[in-house]
Amino acid sequence: MRTVAVVGAALSGLYAARELRDQGFGGRLVIIGDEDHPPYDRPPLSKDFLTGRTDEERLALCDAEERAALDAEWLLGVRARGLDAPGRSVLLDDGRAVRADGVVIATGASARRLPGRGLAGVHTLRTLDDARALRADLTRGTRRVVVIGGGFIGAETASACAALGHAVTVVEAAPLPLVPQLGAEMAAVCAGLHRRAGAALVTGASVAALHGTDAVTAVALRNGRILPADVVVVGIGAVPNTGWLAGSPLVVDDGVRCDHGCVTSLPHVVAVGDVARVDGTRAEHWTSATEQPRAAVANLLAGKTVRSVGTVPYFWSDQYGARIQFAGRRREGDTVHITEGGVVDGAPGADGLLARYRRDGRTTAVLAVDRPRPFARARRELLRAAEPARLAPS
């Protein structure tokens, strides 16, 4: 394998490039990214970057020295438009083709948008350019901010806006935010963080239309309610960036379908990060994007699946000054027990809480709010109890 192309220059693409060099690949390495920016950290965009506590320089994931040490060709500001599997090439939208013996797909996902015409003051938050535009809008005096979607991005953005002194309303279509991840009981507790911080939470409501001529002035809900708005942030999920793979032999189904080692239907192509549907699951979390490349690169260089990705999912979220951490796999029917801390007025108490999810007498997942040390111990227990990594037959 003389040339490897990494398609995607964000977190998972950078980690894949690092793994290639760390695992002994000494050939030509080409990193392709559709943004003009070198790799940067996305989680702070909805937190410290919006509030001004972090600047763009601190977002950088690697400096010029490391980029030089990787000895890679960086093709930034150019988008992949196709994968020529028979020709072993990645086709670019500027007409070039990158010949590669191996390909790492790390194209991530794009923010899902509301249908309809664009209005000033309506934002998504996925990229640095998105965050720049939103931050600029939030500096024009006190604003009425409506956040559509109460998931992680929506909640973190609402938290940052509230910290800046804006009037914030969060609209969530489900009965509670984060129910799929946390279950109803703990989702209700975490929803209390919105109310405790003074943000309004409207649940079980969907958006009918955005009002305004040139700039947004209000959000109309299907139940007839009108929410005045100067700024609207749409946080209704993300769509994996797989359009450029149309016509390729790869199986695309809410992401690039891979086995448990991130290997696609083509053994010389692996996928990592938000775009990868690994063993039936697509995980849009920082930890997955940093852990998957290790196994994916090992399998790419071996030409077959010899290593599996981690077995215990993990994610965190910072909301209204509280850190929420979750590890494991929660399923319907699991019971949940708060083993440390507690709930006060429907929200985590001053000392936070630790909750364990159980099924058939064993712990399947653990949730913590502002309990980092007990959570770390509980997470290690989950890791020890996890099944050994699956290895393909040699």
Side-chain angles (χ1 to χ4, degrees):
M1 191 170 286
R2 292 176 294 182
T3 301
V4 173
V6 178
V7 188
L11 182 68
S12 59
L14 174 63
Y15 270 71
R18 288 172 174 169
E19 285 293 338
L20 281 159
R21 293 309 190 204
D22 289 347
Q23 294 188 33
F25 176 69
R28 181 188 178 210
L29 175 58
V30 183
I31 303 174
I32 302 161
D34 61 351
E35 294 186 64
D36 294 322
H37 316 291
Y40 59 88
D41 204 14
R42 294 185 192 274
L45 294 180
S46 57
K47 308 179 186 77
D48 289 351
F49 184 79
L50 279 188
T51 59
R53 291 194 297 265
T54 292
D55 58 21
E56 293 187 19
E57 184 177 348
R58 294 183 182 179
L59 294 177
L61 289 171
C62 60
D63 56 21
E65 183 178 351
E66 182 186 358
R67 291 200 297 274
L70 281 174
D71 189 24
E73 298 175 34
W74 293 82
L75 305 181
L76 299 180
V78 60
R79 190 181 300 272
R81 66 170 179 84
L83 178 66
D84 178 6
R88 295 284 184 112
S89 298
V90 176
L91 309 179
L92 307 182
D93 62 3
D94 63 3
R96 287 180 290 176
V98 177
R99 175 75 167 79
D101 306 297
V103 175
V104 180
I105 297 174
T107 44
S110 297
R112 195 183 301 274
R113 300 177 183 274
L114 290 175
R117 60 189 177 88
L119 291 171
V122 179
H123 300 267
T124 56
L125 185 53
R126 185 80 187 182
T127 68
L128 176 56
D129 292 337
D130 292 340
R132 284 172 172 170
L134 177 56
R135 189 164 78 167
D137 232 356
L138 294 173
T139 60
R140 297 169 184 159
T142 302
R143 316 288 275 171
R144 298 168 298 178
V145 180
V146 174
V147 179
I148 302 172
F152 295 114
I153 293 296
E156 290 168 2
T157 303
S159 171
C161 292
L164 290 169
H166 301 296
V168 179
T169 300
V170 179
V171 178
E172 169 60 45
L176 284 168
L178 304 178
V179 168
Q181 294 86 359
L182 306 182
E185 184 177 349
M186 288 296 101
V189 173
C190 290
L193 295 171
H194 293 282
R195 293 186 289 270
R196 190 170 70 185
L201 177 62
V202 180
T203 59
S206 57
V207 173
L210 301 182
H211 290 177
T213 303
D214 298 315
V216 68
T217 58
V219 176
L221 304 182
R222 294 193 185 279
N223 61 11
R225 185 174 177 182
I226 303 295
L227 304 174
D230 307 302
V231 175
V232 172
V233 182
V234 181
I236 54 174
V239 180
N241 293 325
T242 57
W244 67 284
L245 296 169
S248 76
L250 300 184
V251 180
V252 174
D253 175 20
D254 185 35
V256 179
R257 190 179 294 177
C258 314
D259 68 8
H260 54 88
C262 297
V263 179
T264 72
S265 54
L266 298 173
H268 68 283
V269 179
V270 296
V272 293
D274 292 356
V275 75
R277 189 174 180 83
V278 180
D279 214 11
T281 302
R282 190 170 66 84
E284 296 181 19
H285 301 303
W286 191 92
T287 308
S288 300
T290 58
E291 291 180 348
Q292 289 173 356
R294 185 171 301 161
V297 165
N299 297 331
L300 179 67
L301 297 178
K304 60 181 180 179
T305 304
V306 296
R307 187 168 183 170
S308 297
V309 298
T311 56
V312 179
Y314 165 69
F315 63 81
W316 82 92
S317 178
D318 295 320
Q319 302 177 18
Y320 304 103
R323 168 150 289 197
I324 299 171
Q325 295 173 283
F326 187 93
R329 292 184 174 87
R330 184 201 73 85
R331 297 178 188 169
E332 291 300 323
D334 287 0
T335 58
V336 60
H337 307 272
I338 297 176
T339 57
E340 297 186 31
V343 179
V344 177
D345 295 329
D351 295 329
L353 61 84
L354 183 80
R356 292 176 181 267
Y357 296 77
R358 292 197 173 103
R359 182 172 60 250
D360 298 330
R362 63 185 182 88
T363 298
T364 58
V366 61
L367 165 72
V369 180
D370 290 334
R371 288 265 176 161
R373 290 185 179 177
F375 176 82
R377 290 194 295 269
R379 185 185 177 197
R380 286 196 295 269
E381 292 172 7
L382 286 173
L383 289 168
R384 285 194 294 267
E387 295 179 356
R390 291 168 293 176
L391 297 179
S394 59

